[in-house]
Amino acid sequence: MHRAPLESWLINNEIMPLITLFSAPKPFTNPHIALIQRNAVKSWALLPDVEVILLGEETGLAEAARELGVNHLANVARNESGTPLISSMFQLAKDASQRSHSDLLCIINADMILMSDFIEAAIQASKLKERFVLLSQRWDLDVTQPIDFTEGWQNRLSSMVHRQGALHRPAGSDFFLFPFSAYSDIPGFTIGRAGWDNWMIYKARKEKWTVIDCTPSVMIVHQNHDYSHLPGGKPHYEHPDTNENIRLAGGEANIRYTVLDATHQLSANGKLIRPKISYLRFMRGVELFLRKMFFFLPEKMIENVARPKRWKKRIKKLLK
């Protein structure tokens, strides 16, 4: 049985964690990937009221988990090419969450640095809504050295991000935080490929959960890297497994959901507000309207009609 949100819970005089954080890191063979993953996991391990679980059998993962003092589960199911499946990750994380009695779960990419404002946002979202998913845009930063996690590291990192980093466009999501009861029926998506994260937002909107964008109140730091870990060094959206993710998601329309589809934002003062209208949000609304209008067309034709980027490409061709 899960406790009521945010109540203290003791078992054998031990305080149980509020959040179960889970991730499937890449192999620790590439020196830069290893460095940024250690930075990320260390930042999670320093958070209060958090249980961290690393999933998979990738080279160096078990050793890194021991070094960083976090949990490791190796028996995650994989696809034919050996890449972990999201459905198996969720099941393992939920089983662990039941044992630890944590209220919230969070799937997160292994290159993301979290700070204390993340915990504050999770607590506030839990107070305000019962069924929700928390997400945000990320801040991109070039990181080439181990982070010094001594006192004041969060202030130093925040200052560096403001000076040298950039807020990523509202496309793709690097973490999802949600209550234990959410996402009980995850398809067998492949981690590290495109589409599954967009489906997470689609699913939440379809189920009428509150989708909270905490970009105004939380700084989530993505450590930049190349794609040398993927075949041919190509981005994940060009990988064949992405096509299977799209199929499992139910088609192209269901993987077009982004942070722009959030129903609310968590403001810096901790209040839930409706997102302000912007050009990108307006065009997203136009796209959704066109998809409803032309639902009877073949999928590829709907994509050409509904997506503004494709309009621009066709206009450029006509003007040549």
Side-chain angles (χ1 to χ4, degrees), residues 202 246 249-257 284 287-288 291 299 302-303:
Y202 158 77
I246 294 172
E252 293 278 350
N254 297 349
I255 65 154
R256 298 301 171 200
Y257 283 74
R284 174 59 177 158
E287 178 184 344
L288 290 172
R291 288 186 185 280
E299 184 175 74
I302 292 176
E303 290 301 304

Side-chain angles (χ1 to χ4, degrees), residues 5-16:
L6 308 179
E7 290 181 358
S8 60
W9 183 270
L10 290 175
I11 295 181
N12 296 327
N13 294 320
E14 182 181 354
I15 298 177
M16 295 296 103

Side-chain angles (χ1 to χ4, degrees), residues 22 28 31 49 55 73 76 82 103 109 130-132 162 180 182 185 193 199 204 206 216 250 254 267 274 280 305:
F22 62 105
F28 283 73
D49 300 322
L55 300 163
L73 297 177
V76 59
D103 295 317
N109 289 341
E130 183 177 349
R131 294 176 66 80
F132 71 94
H162 284 302
F180 180 87
D185 54 348
R193 309 295 184 259
W199 178 89
K206 181 183 178 183
N254 297 349
S267 66
R274 293 288 184 178
L280 290 177
V305 170

